[in-house]
Amino acid sequence: NGGRVSRALRAEVDDSRSIIVVTGSGLIHRVVSLVVLRLEDDEGRVFMEVGRWDGRRAHGRCRLPGLKQQGDELISETVDRLFKTKLSPLAGKLSFAGIKREKVETESRAHQVHTRYLRFVSSARVLDGQALDLPACQRPTGYNMEHALSLRSDEMFQVGGRSSHNRLLETLRAQPVFAIHEGEEAVLYSWLPQDALKALGTGNGEKVVTAWLSSVAMPAAPTQCHASGAASDKV
């Protein structure tokens, strides 16, 4: 990517959703501050954003739900915005246990530039007596999940080999998928066990998630959809 900045990245910087640092050799490094939610249940499962429905098909992406900080926004203000936009059905139903700071460096797929993520992880649990009541996706009758999730032998090796791959399929098959609509599109969520998260974080995990999501049908969008925070959610 050298010293070239895309139009989308310039717009992101103009909106104060990231900053650009140019090294002495002219290379561009992007710096993003993220605030994410780590919501665990009593079984140790984690509430994950597992993909997005674009109105026609699902695209897998396994990550903690969150938003980028904007400008001089405080962490608490970003958390408030998260529950007013992407996660509005969860507002008022969680108890929070603190925030941990992490640093991750990787290549941004959206912008094709080296990116340093300063990630603030807000840990939470569902309050006693509360239920999230999210719209659940349905699985069509007679759907052949094994066929949809079939991978070449080399790809299966990357997610831990054939036996591990089969165990992962069994785990995912048991997990419901929930949808929070943003107009004609929807963000998809699921409660995932820790061992599944570890497997999906390596090799072809994203391909497995996409194939898994292809096995579900989207629930009808509500008449009045929740406001979207998706414009600042590409990483």
Side-chain angles (χ1 to χ4, degrees):
N1 45 44
R4 301 163 68 180
V5 177
S6 69
R7 183 179 302 176
L9 182 52
R10 288 182 185 275
E12 183 182 79
V13 172
D14 290 343
D15 290 343
S16 300
R17 289 181 280 122
S18 70
I19 62 173
I20 292 297
V21 176
V22 182
T23 68
S25 58
L27 295 177
I28 293 172
H29 286 187
R30 172 174 168 256
V31 181
V32 177
S33 180
L34 297 172
V35 178
V36 299
L37 173 71
R38 184 179 178 89
L39 175 61
E40 291 192 28
D41 66 8
D42 293 337
E43 299 176 15
R45 298 181 305 171
V46 182
F47 187 74
M48 299 293 293
E49 180 180 323
V50 294
R52 187 174 190 87
W53 173 259
D54 65 7
R56 295 176 298 175
R57 62 186 297 266
H59 304 271
R61 181 73 185 271
C62 192
R63 62 184 180 185
L64 294 172
L67 291 175
K68 296 171 188 169
Q69 279 187 284
Q70 294 181 342
D72 296 328
E73 192 175 52
L74 300 176
I75 295 173
S76 59
E77 293 173 334
T78 309
V79 172
D80 288 343
R81 183 163 57 88
L82 177 62
F83 288 101
K84 290 177 180 177
T85 55
K86 288 184 68 175
L87 298 181
S88 57
L90 278 61
K93 297 183 177 182
L94 310 181
S95 63
F96 297 89
I99 295 177
K100 180 175 67 174
R101 183 174 183 260
E102 300 175 344
K103 183 173 72 172
V104 179
E105 297 202 21
T106 186
E107 189 82 3
S108 167
R109 295 186 310 166
H111 299 292
Q112 300 294 303
V113 64
H114 183 83
T115 300
R116 173 180 294 177
Y117 296 100
L118 304 177
R119 199 166 75 152
F120 297 91
V121 183
S122 179
S123 300
R125 289 186 176 271
V126 179
L127 287 168
D128 291 341
Q130 291 285 357
L132 299 189
D133 295 326
L134 298 175
C137 301
Q138 302 299 315
R139 194 160 284 127
T141 303
Y143 183 84
N144 189 335
M145 190 172 183
E146 285 79 3
H147 176 72
L149 290 170
S150 63
L151 300 173
R152 298 193 310 271
S153 58
D154 60 328
E155 292 176 328
M156 285 194 294
F157 178 78
Q158 291 187 49
V159 292
R162 183 178 296 276
S163 61
S164 295
H165 176 74
N166 290 339
R167 287 196 300 271
L168 178 58
L169 301 192
E170 289 294 333
T171 299
L172 294 178
R173 183 186 289 108
Q175 309 308 317
V177 178
F178 306 98
I180 298 180
H181 283 84
E182 298 176 346
E184 295 298 320
E185 301 184 356
V187 182
L188 308 177
Y189 300 90
S190 186
W191 292 96
L192 295 184
Q194 302 282 349
D195 56 347
L197 287 178
K198 183 177 180 180
L200 292 172
T202 61
N204 285 274
E206 188 168 308
K207 292 182 180 179
V208 175
V209 173
T210 298
W212 167 45
L213 295 178
S214 73
S215 73
V216 300
M218 294 300 108
T223 302
Q224 290 189 341
C225 301
H226 301 290
S228 169
S232 60
D233 197 37
K234 292 183 179 179
V235 299

